[in-house]
Every structure is written in structure tokens, then in C-alpha cells.
Amino acid sequence: MSTGANESETVATPAGDARISWYRAPVPARAVVAVGHGAGGGIEARDLRALAAALPGRGYTVALVEQPWRVAGKKVAPAPKTLDVAWTALWPALEKPGLPVVAGGRSAGARVACRTARELGAHAVLALSFPLHPPGRPEKSRAGELAGAGVPTLVVQGGRDPFGGPGEFPGGTELREVAHGDHGFAVPKKAGVTEAESMDRLTAVVVEWLDGLFG
């Protein structure tokens, strides 16, 4: 199990310097799983840290990607187009190991991965806590972004996510639920499920999906 990044890499983009924290598989890797953060936090998110800890031991190198606004210490994310520009600019660094790249992210990062997957040649998309709509505004659906990814896509969603519960996604969406989880996959004490158990569930379904893609 990985306990820390093997290396940190700074990548210049038109939006400023981005940073990639590499968690490399100790065995010949089958793919790079590149995961971006959301608009309200960074790569310290519990789900991103759980993937970085669990996946390298299963043969998948994890790249946690920090957008330039976070690297610069800013508190507010820029417009979606700026996020896409930075992600696109750093993509060659993600391809450098010579492996298939799974584009991923949580929340706003998942939207970036979906919007750019086809153009960049991503092998697949991993969408954690995909913000299907703003809280309380189901009419403002972003289902088109999800459907437009154009590659195999897995959504992992908390059962209590106010940005879109598992039952709100369009039919045909490949989705796995983390029971009782909110948008950050936090679970209430009354649920009788620990955070560790929820993260075990999350990493297990992601590994199962990746193994199905890469054998």
C-alpha cells in the first residue's frame, strides 16, 4: 500500500503551474489513473487519498492532479474553460509513462475529465461525486457532459449526494453507490458505517472496474 507520493512534478500550463503527485505502482503498471480535485478543495480529499493508497498495489499508477489555482493558493476555482485548458496542457505529462490513461476527478474535476476525454484520447473516465445538478436544482442537469465523454465511464456516487443521488442519473449510466455518503463521501455516525469502510467500498468498486478494462 502506498503511503506517500513517489514524486511531485510541476507542469507549466497557460493557466499557471499545475502539480502532479505521482503514486507509482511497485509492479509493472497497467494504466495511469489521473484524478483531479473539486472546486471546493484539493487532493487531500478522502476519496483521492484512498485511491492513491489502494491502487498502486493493484498495478495502477495514480496521478493526483492539482489545478493551477490551487497551486497558487487561491480560494476560488476559475471558469470551467480555464480548468479544461490546464488539464489539456498537462495531459502529455500523464501520458509520459507510456501507459493508457484513465481521466478522472471528483466533482468539478469529474466534469473536466468528461468534457476533455474524447479530445485527449483518454482510455476511460472515472467520475467521483459527479455534480449532476446544483443542489435543489435538478432542472439544471449536466447529464450531457457525462454522456458526452465518449469513452467507458464509471460514476461513483454517495447515496446522500445533494448534487445528484444515484437514482437521479440517466438509465444506462454505469454507477456504483457508496451508501450514506454525501458529496465528499462523509457518512453520518448514525449510519453505522465508518469512513474506512466507505473508502474500502469506493476503492473496491474502482479496482473491479479497472480490472474489467485492463484485465
Side-chain angles (χ1 to χ4, degrees), residues 87-204:
W87 183 259
T88 299
L90 62 83
W91 189 260
L94 300 172
E95 291 184 310
K96 202 177 301 179
L99 298 165
V101 182
V102 174
R106 65 163 289 102
S107 194
R111 296 181 63 194
V112 173
C114 288
R115 289 193 300 260
T116 60
R118 191 192 303 266
E119 172 193 349
L120 295 175
H123 190 87
V125 167
L126 173 60
L128 306 168
S129 297
F130 186 85
L132 188 63
H133 57 72
R137 302 290 301 279
E139 73 280 3
K140 300 286 188 181
S141 177
R142 298 173 181 132
E145 287 185 354
L146 191 62
V151 296
T153 300
L154 176 68
V155 175
V156 184
Q157 204 78 357
R160 299 185 303 113
D161 195 328
F163 289 81
E168 297 182 62
F169 282 78
T173 302
E174 186 167 4
L175 186 147
R176 304 290 184 272
E177 178 179 350
V178 176
H180 312 292
D182 64 9
H183 194 58
F185 295 112
V187 294
K189 290 183 179 179
K190 64 181 181 181
V193 180
T194 67
E195 179 177 311
E197 289 170 334
S198 291
M199 291 300 96
D200 284 346
R201 160 70 178 167
L202 184 147
T203 56

Side-chain angles (χ1 to χ4, degrees), residues 29-44:
R30 290 180 274 181
V32 170
V33 180
V35 195
H37 53 78
I43 61 171
E44 73 280 357

Side-chain angles (χ1 to χ4, degrees), residues 7 9 19-24 31-37 43 48 51-52 55-56 60-66 87 90 93-94 97 101-102 104-105:
E7 62 184 86
E9 178 181 0
R19 185 162 53 223
I20 304 172
S21 295
W22 290 97
Y23 296 76
R24 299 190 187 276
V32 170
V33 180
V35 195
H37 53 78
I43 61 171
L48 305 191
L51 292 175
L55 266 55
Y60 302 102
T61 288
V62 174
L64 298 187
V65 178
E66 292 175 86
W87 183 259
L90 62 83
L94 300 172
V101 182
V102 174

